[in-house]
Amino acid sequence: MARVGLTTERLVRAGAELADEVGFDQVAVSALARRFDVKVASLYSHVKNSQDLRTRIALLALEELADRGGAALAGRAGKDALTALGNVYRDYAHDHPGRYAATRLRLDPAAAAASAGGRHAQMTRAILRGYDLTEPDQTHAVRLLGSVFHGYVTLELGGGFSHSAPDSQESWSRILDALDALLRTWPPAA
């Protein structure tokens, strides 16, 4: 029988908070059991194992990030939309580093298909329509933006830009300007 007050949703949210505190790699059912001061076995009626918990956290994080992105993009186009989406990813990573790490978890095909991951691709493609890109250039540009956003945020969170001037915000703004300029001239010359 499930312990009163424990639900799958509550456990997943607590797991997401734990990920933000100690890192996504440290999230396990045993750590969550300690947080609730219960035996590990009492959580198995809500989550199958640590991998199931981590998958659920990833799905939650993808959903939260997609919701933020959708709200930020409403009514925007071109560089304004590009900047808004880039800032959503960067801000979410700073606000929720463990959850952001969870968004990078490789999901099985069924979980991936049911996730908000498709919304992320749709948002990026919506931005790129403002740059009048067609296939396969649009797919290349989706990959470019994802790589730049994730790469920059990962390096920044790891302290890679904290040891020298200028401030990383200045670099981020210039990177967004450069992406906008590149997309306006896409495809690049071969």
Side-chain angles (χ1 to χ4, degrees):
M1 184 167 147
R3 185 176 175 100
V4 176
L6 291 182
T7 64
T8 302
E9 181 180 348
R10 185 171 177 213
L11 291 173
V12 171
R13 291 206 173 273
E17 291 169 10
L18 182 63
D20 289 337
E21 293 167 16
V22 301
F24 184 61
D25 292 340
Q26 301 301 311
V27 173
V29 173
S30 58
L32 204 52
R34 285 191 297 278
R35 178 167 278 218
F36 283 99
D37 195 27
V38 298
K39 294 188 183 300
V40 172
S42 66
L43 301 184
Y44 288 132
S45 61
H46 302 288
V47 294
K48 296 176 192 171
N49 51 39
S50 291
Q51 184 60 36
D52 180 43
L53 174 62
R54 291 166 52 86
T55 297
R56 290 172 186 268
I57 293 168
L59 294 172
L60 171 67
L62 286 167
E63 188 75 30
E64 289 176 343
L65 192 50
D67 289 347
R68 282 188 181 194
L73 290 178
R76 295 184 176 180
K79 183 181 178 194
D80 190 34
L82 173 69
T83 300
L85 187 62
N87 286 336
V88 162
Y89 279 93
R90 184 171 179 238
D91 292 347
Y92 187 81
H94 282 272
D95 294 345
H96 301 291
R99 292 178 210 205
Y100 180 77
T103 67
R104 312 314 317 159
L105 181 70
R106 185 180 188 121
L107 300 172
D108 67 60
S115 78
R119 288 176 53 202
H120 292 266
Q122 289 170 349
M123 287 186 291
T124 305
R125 287 182 184 279
I127 289 169
L128 294 173
R129 282 194 293 274
Y131 292 96
D132 200 30
L133 299 180
T134 59
E135 286 300 340
D137 293 319
Q138 192 177 89
T139 296
H140 296 312
V142 167
R143 293 172 180 168
L144 170 71
L145 293 179
S147 298
V148 171
F149 293 166
H150 177 65
Y152 191 88
V153 165
T154 300
L155 290 168
E156 186 176 38
L157 288 176
F161 307 135
S162 62
H163 59 285
S164 63
D167 180 77
S168 65
Q169 177 59 46
E170 184 179 337
S171 296
W172 178 248
S173 295
R174 287 184 177 216
I175 287 168
L176 293 173
D177 289 345
L179 286 172
D180 174 63
L182 175 65
L183 291 171
R184 290 183 189 286
T185 63
W186 199 278

